Amino acid sequence: GAKEAGRNAFRFFTPAMNLAAQDRLRLEGELRRSMDLGELMLYFQPILATNERRVVGCEALLRWCHPTRNIVPPGQFISLAEETGLIIPIGEWVLRQSCYQARRWLDQGYDLHISVNISTRQFREQDFRQVVESVLSESGLPPQSLVLEITESLVLEETEQLMEDLKLLTAKGLRFSVDDFGTGYSSLSYLRRFPAKMLKIERSFLQEVVHRRDDAALVEAMISLAHKLNMTVVAEGVETLAQWDFLKECDCDFMQGFYFSRPLPVTQMDAFLADHFKETPPNPEKGST
Ligand code: C2E
Ligand code: MG
Ligand code: MG
Ligand code: MG
């Protein structure tokens, strides 16, 4: 009967495929519930001015504190969230939390911008602009303090409505940033059409920059290109002093990376701000402030 047919259908799957499919399905169910269970959390990674090591902003990075899988990094669930559409409510939650947190820092005297990653799918939602505008007004965060990070794949399906919404948001003072610049296949045409004010150089370009002349030339060229387009440049993935020195030489505006700080939970970010918000000398003496 039906049971028999079901069992036959089952045989088309190899045990490994079946396990992967089951695992995915379980993960999807868990992700669906994660928001209600309060398992999603934001970490914040400081963004610093290259010439003086001063904190100018931070990037909100999503973490899933799973009860049995510990902390799941976004690389393991963002694409699932995108495929299932869960990124829409999750992304709105991220945006709201980020704006409220940035507002709190502003109230404490820390004038930072907050960078929020936006998935292409979120961005294409009909009411994207309205969501951003209402989150800004609810939280009281000035639009100038919000940066939306978008990756290059977006350009493929831009519509007139989308470009219109972008212009309206930009007119309010909000900034867009092109994330992971240099890795897509349409980087330059993207810059021509997209009204971005910031450009983030993908960290793979930084990795060998001190040893490889070609990488150094590419990074220098990206920075000067961005500056000619009146964009602010952020280097991501700064892990060494030598990389920082190189970025200073090339007049890179901002930087972010493990050399300065990993992404931090909010209380640790508070402590980092207390130590680093003001310009600090290269080797600050303990207790000098
Ligand atoms: P991204 O937006 O390019 O974020 C930067 C990633 O580089 C973060 O990984 C950060 O921890 C890592 N990173 C920063 N500095 C260094 C460094 O010096 N060395 C190394 N090795 N890595 C560094 P994370 O947090 O695992 O996030 C990965 C990606 O997941 C993000 O890349 C972003 O594309 C996505 N993501 C994170 N949070 C969100 C979110 O709230 N919404 C959406 N749509 N995507 C998100
Ligand atoms: Mg980003
Ligand atoms: Mg990036
Ligand atoms: Mg990335």
Side-chain angles (χ1 to χ4, degrees):
K3 209 171 179 185
E4 205 56 42
R7 207 173 291 150
N8 283 340
F10 220 51
R11 270 198 252 131
F12 287 106
F13 295 92
T14 67
M17 277 168 72
N18 188 33
L19 201 73
Q22 275 179 9
D23 206 46
R24 203 191 121 97
L25 213 62
R26 184 178 323 118
L27 199 67
E28 184 186 334
E30 289 171 351
L31 187 58
R32 212 171 273 286
R33 288 186 294 273
S34 65
M35 271 202 298
D36 291 338
L37 295 174
E39 293 170 357
L40 295 184
M41 229 181 121
L42 288 182
Y43 275 40
F44 300 92
Q45 189 178 30
I47 298 172
L48 300 97
T50 306
N51 55 3
E52 48 186 3
R53 201 185 186 148
R54 178 172 49 87
V55 185
V56 293
C58 65
E59 179 172 10
L61 294 158
L62 189 57
R63 298 290 181 266
W64 179 10
C65 304
H66 190 280
T68 57
R69 296 174 209 247
N70 294 324
I71 295 184
V72 188
Q76 287 174 30
F77 68 90
I78 289 286
S79 60
L80 181 66
E82 285 170 344
E83 287 157 27
T84 54
L86 283 169
I87 196 66
I88 304 300
I90 291 176
E92 189 174 331
W93 180 87
V94 169
L95 183 67
R96 181 166 284 108
Q97 295 295 311
S98 298
C99 290
Y100 273 89
Q101 184 56 57
R103 178 71 239 187
R104 278 194 286 278
W105 280 322
L106 202 57
D107 292 341
Q108 291 165 20
Y110 301 122
D111 188 1
L112 309 173
H113 78 255
I114 183 117
S115 293
V116 180
N117 292 286
I118 304 290
S119 284
T120 305
R121 179 132 183 207
Q122 265 177 286
F123 201 67
R124 291 214 194 95
E125 282 288 287
Q126 279 296 309
D127 63 349
F128 176 74
R129 179 170 61 87
Q130 285 86 339
V131 168
V132 173
E133 285 172 352
S134 62
V135 169
L136 282 171
S137 67
E138 274 170 45
S139 63
L141 186 72
Q144 290 74 13
S145 303
L146 180 62
V147 175
L148 300 181
E149 297 196 355
I150 312 277
T151 50
E152 292 174 36
S153 56
L154 187 73
V155 79
L156 298 175
E157 283 176 45
E158 69 191 32
T159 61
E160 236 165 75
Q161 182 59 55
L162 182 64
M163 295 317 273
E164 183 62 26
D165 281 349
L166 285 187
K167 278 194 201 114
L168 288 169
L169 285 171
T170 304
K172 294 203 156 197
L174 180 154
R175 283 168 292 174
F176 286 94
S177 174
V178 179
D179 204 353
D180 301 336
F181 184 76
T183 53
Y185 49 84
S186 60
S187 305
L188 294 181
S189 69
Y190 196 85
L191 293 188
R192 226 168 108 207
R193 295 144 94 171
F194 195 85
K197 294 268 170 28
M198 279 196 190
L199 185 148
K200 286 186 99 164
I201 300 174
E202 218 269 334
R203 74 165 184 268
S204 60
F205 290 99
L206 256 288
Q207 245 156 31
E208 299 294 324
V209 83
V210 186
H211 313 289
R212 296 193 46 192
R213 294 173 70 99
D214 288 357
D215 286 0
L218 283 169
V219 170
E220 275 182 81
M222 285 189 255
I223 292 169
S224 81
L225 172 71
H227 284 164
K228 281 180 185 144
L229 296 171
N230 284 317
M231 297 171 88
T232 303
V233 189
V234 187
E236 52 177 33
V238 181
E239 294 181 350
T240 66
L241 178 61
Q243 289 169 335
W244 178 19
D245 284 339
F246 174 81
L247 292 169
K248 262 191 258 184
E249 290 286 309
C250 324
D251 279 330
C252 184
D253 304 285
F254 300 157
M255 55 187 182
Q256 173 181 356
F258 293 173
Y259 181 72
F260 304 101
S261 173
R262 291 185 173 261
L264 304 169
V266 70
T267 50
Q268 287 180 42
M269 182 66 187
D270 282 340
F272 190 90
L273 286 173
D275 287 348
H276 294 279
F277 186 71
K278 299 238 167 60
E279 185 182 297
T280 49
N283 289 306
E285 283 171 26
K286 275 247 163 26
S288 64
T289 45

